[in-house]
Amino acid sequence: SCERGRREGRPAGDRVPPPRHLIMPKRPLDDVVLVIRGTVIDSPELTTLRVRTHAVLGVRAIGTVAFCEEGHTEPLSPGSSLVLREGGEVVLSRGCVIRDLPARGFLCPGLVDTHTHAPQFSFTGIGYDLQLLDWLNKYTFPSEAKFKDSAFAARVCRNAVARTLRNGTTSCMYFATIHTDAALQLGRIASGMGQRAFVGKVNMDRNAPESYCETTADSLAETERFVEGMLSDAESGGRGAEVEPSSGVCSECAPLGPAAQPVITPRFVPTCSAELMEGLARIAARHQLLVTSHISENAGEIEWVKSLHPTKESYASCYDYPGLLGRRTVLAHGVYLGESERALLKSRGASVSHCPLSNMMLRSGMLNVRRLLDEGVTVSLGTDVSGGASPSMLQSIREALKVSNLVSLAEGRPGGGMWEPLSFTEAFHLATAAGARSLGVDGLTGDFSTGSLFDAVVVDPEAPASPFELYEGDGALASFEKWMQLGDDRNTAEVYVQGSRVFALKEGLWTSR
């Protein structure tokens, strides 16, 4: 606690208060199925990093956090009782699993990727000599068109889910392609493998290759079919849904993870007519769905939007007029948002997914995240594969910190002075709690507050072939910082989604479905 207070600029004795715990002085809490012991780290607020050592964290059978309290060193075993200082007795059933974290490891919330493209995993690492619009035409559209082959689509989607999960991404918002059946498969594969997925069937009815474009009527009809298919999968629990054998997912088994959620996904304004956008807004409103798209990523793209919509006030207004801009909207990039656009996003409650690696690799620009935060716009992080060449949210955190440093040097505040760069605590918050809350799922908070969904990553800094070392005197905070700046999937020991362990490195990679 002292170490944490000094790092965050608070007096050593000024401890971060723990979250509210269940206070049950008379009735024991007897539905705890998992207890994890060790160091627990989360970020419930933008500037707060909460480090709890000798912690005990309990998970209920429904997959939510029952309690999390530090300073417990007493022995525990199935059948014993745990008395919480905040009140309440936990009776551990005979079937309760007690897991000790690695000696110098820690538990942190699952990482949340609010923008990536599953089909683009097939050509990640290629084409960074081009900027956005040329890159789309040369690489993206031809590669995504291959998703009409469902077997090919299933292989790519499985790899996308496997790589993101292994990197600790428990929740991921995916763009699929215009192909409805491939988009449905992506949701089933992610759910089957245990990831909390948000999947969008892409919509495009103009300014795209003839072989990879829809009519307005077909795009809307296929979106309706996609939404109904996803909702049907959720109602059935995922059993019996058609999945390509090449996906490696058992269609007759219960999925490891929650059902994927459908997302309304106009690719971006240049490829979507006003009629299509209005129709998509109606579908989103009828089903209360998330909406995602791109905005103000590239200077040439912005000029294109102006030429297509000369009477509109701004790029953002092209989403607002049809009714696509609201509190359930996540827009990727936003590098060049103007003052009025930022105010519009704030007023509508829409959020921005910052994709710094992609913005650098495609030479799109540098987003001033500090300005968005100061103005009250919600910001999360995305990998944006394959504009970004890494599926790791740790890499997105690192790039966000670098870009923020560059912005502080290159762009002055209007009234004078420099923009304050992001701290590592703030970047971690954007990759966890901020991302989770932008997705609007009940209980998905991106931290370990009582009642929150237990999505978590067990990090082992001393795993075999770890890309960094710990030395004498390196405490929990040093271990965490080194992992953020140097770690990778080799440090991912276990991954949990809604209380279920879906990945275990030492047990043959994937937990059996």
Side-chain angles (χ1 to χ4, degrees):
S1 296
C2 293
E3 182 179 37
R4 178 178 65 245
R6 287 194 297 270
R7 186 65 186 182
E8 292 301 317
R10 295 185 296 273
D14 183 14
R15 295 180 56 191
V16 177
R20 294 192 304 271
H21 293 287
L22 293 175
I23 301 176
M24 306 175 67
K26 295 182 180 179
R27 187 179 62 179
L29 187 64
D30 57 4
D31 63 343
V32 173
V33 296
L34 171 66
V35 173
I36 294 178
R37 305 186 59 160
T39 298
V40 176
I41 301 175
D42 64 356
S43 176
E45 303 296 338
L46 180 63
T47 59
T48 300
L49 188 70
R50 187 164 51 182
V51 180
R52 288 176 277 193
T53 56
H54 299 294
V56 287
L57 185 148
V59 182
R60 287 179 150 177
I62 58 173
T64 61
V65 176
F67 56 84
C68 184
E69 191 172 275
E70 66 181 329
H72 283 269
T73 58
E74 67 271 37
L76 288 177
S77 61
S80 66
S81 295
L82 171 67
V83 178
L84 300 176
R85 290 188 303 276
E86 297 294 328
E89 179 185 25
V90 181
V91 179
L92 304 181
S93 70
R94 294 293 178 183
C96 180
V97 175
I98 299 173
R99 284 206 172 95
D100 290 309
L101 295 175
R104 302 181 79 178
F106 54 87
L107 184 78
C108 73
L111 301 171
V112 179
D113 187 344
T114 54
H115 184 72
T116 198
H117 297 257
Q120 294 181 20
F121 276 71
S122 66
F123 68 98
T124 303
I126 298 173
Y128 301 113
D129 55 325
L130 301 177
Q131 289 188 280
L132 176 66
L133 299 180
D134 292 333
W135 177 80
L136 287 172
N137 287 313
K138 183 172 181 179
Y139 297 105
T140 304
F141 292 156
S143 295
E144 291 189 3
K146 296 177 182 178
F147 263 48
K148 64 183 178 182
D149 179 344
S150 58
F152 174 77
R155 291 197 302 274
V156 176
C157 288
R158 177 178 176 81
N159 289 336
V161 174
R163 287 197 177 276
T164 52
L165 254 182
R166 183 165 177 162
N167 276 282
T169 300
T170 53
S171 293
C172 193
M173 183 177 282
Y174 291 105
F175 273 57
T177 64
I178 67 172
H179 309 99
T180 302
D181 292 332
L184 288 169
Q185 279 210 93
L186 171 57
R188 291 164 186 165
I189 290 168
S191 177
M193 295 177 71
Q195 191 173 58
R196 188 185 304 281
F198 303 79
V199 177
K201 175 221 166 294
V202 171
N203 300 96
M204 299 194 296
D205 68 344
R206 66 176 183 176
N207 295 323
E210 186 176 347
S211 61
Y212 190 52
C213 194
E214 310 162 289
T215 66
T216 305
D218 284 348
S219 187
L220 291 172
E222 286 299 295
T223 299
E224 293 273 18
R225 184 166 76 88
F226 165 71
V227 171
E228 291 300 328
M230 292 280 279
L231 296 179
S232 176
D233 284 353
E235 291 174 3
S236 68
R239 290 180 184 269
E242 182 179 347
V243 184
E244 276 288 330
S246 59
S247 71
V249 172
C250 169
S251 63
E252 298 304 320
C253 306
L256 285 175
Q261 295 194 22
V263 182
I264 297 303
T265 310
R267 184 176 211 108
F268 65 158
V269 169
T271 59
C272 297
S273 67
E275 182 183 356
L276 176 58
M277 301 273 265
E278 290 165 3
L280 292 174
R282 289 192 293 271
I283 297 172
R286 185 163 65 251
H287 297 283
Q288 292 296 293
L289 301 178
L290 287 164
V291 174
T292 192
S293 191
H294 303 84
I295 190 169
S296 298
E297 177 180 358
N298 167 282
E301 166 207 6
I302 295 170
E303 291 304 313
W304 191 11
V305 171
K306 288 179 180 177
S307 70
L308 292 169
H309 298 279
T311 63
K312 292 290 191 296
E313 296 91 337
S314 64
Y315 197 152
S317 68
C318 294
Y319 291 110
D320 193 44
Y321 275 103
L324 287 168
L325 206 59
R327 64 181 181 82
R328 296 180 65 80
T329 303
V330 180
L331 296 175
H333 304 297
V335 176
Y336 300 102
L337 289 170
E339 183 177 356
S340 64
E341 292 180 294
R342 300 192 300 272
L344 179 60
L345 263 60
K346 179 186 176 183
S347 69
R348 297 291 186 263
S351 65
V352 171
S353 177
H354 177 35
C355 305
L357 182 57
S358 170
N359 294 160
M360 293 295 97
M361 298 198 75
L362 295 179
R363 289 172 288 145
S364 295
M366 300 185 298
L367 174 63
N368 188 335
V369 174
R370 178 63 67 195
R371 180 169 57 196
L372 287 178
L373 294 174
D374 286 354
E375 294 179 359
V377 179
T378 300
V379 181
S380 59
L381 293 182
T383 57
D384 194 25
V385 171
S386 81
S390 172
S392 169
M393 284 295 291
L394 289 179
Q395 190 65 35
S396 293
I397 289 172
R398 295 162 194 161
E399 297 302 318
L401 292 171
K402 292 175 188 174
V403 169
S404 181
N405 286 339
L406 291 173
V407 167
S408 75
L409 295 172
E411 184 179 338
R413 282 182 174 274
M418 298 171 60
W419 292 100
E420 182 184 356
L422 293 174
S423 69
F424 77 87
T425 293
E426 291 173 313
F428 180 68
H429 180 84
L430 299 186
T432 53
R437 293 163 191 173
S438 72
L439 297 175
V441 175
D442 187 31
L444 185 62
T445 63
D447 62 22
F448 295 129
S449 56
T450 299
S452 63
L453 293 169
F454 183 66
D455 291 4
V457 181
V458 175
V459 177
D460 184 0
E462 297 182 308
S466 174
F468 63 94
E469 292 79 30
L470 296 179
Y471 294 96
E472 296 81 358
D474 283 345
L477 190 59
S479 177
F480 175 78
E481 284 194 70
K482 286 187 175 184
W483 170 70
M484 272 190 53
Q485 296 291 358
L486 302 168
D488 60 25
D489 59 345
R490 288 170 288 186
N491 300 114
T492 305
E494 295 179 337
V495 177
Y496 292 82
V497 175
Q498 203 156 317
S500 296
R501 189 173 62 163
V502 300
F503 175 83
L505 185 60
K506 292 184 178 180
E507 297 181 20
L509 298 185
W510 301 105
T511 303
S512 176
R513 183 180 175 187

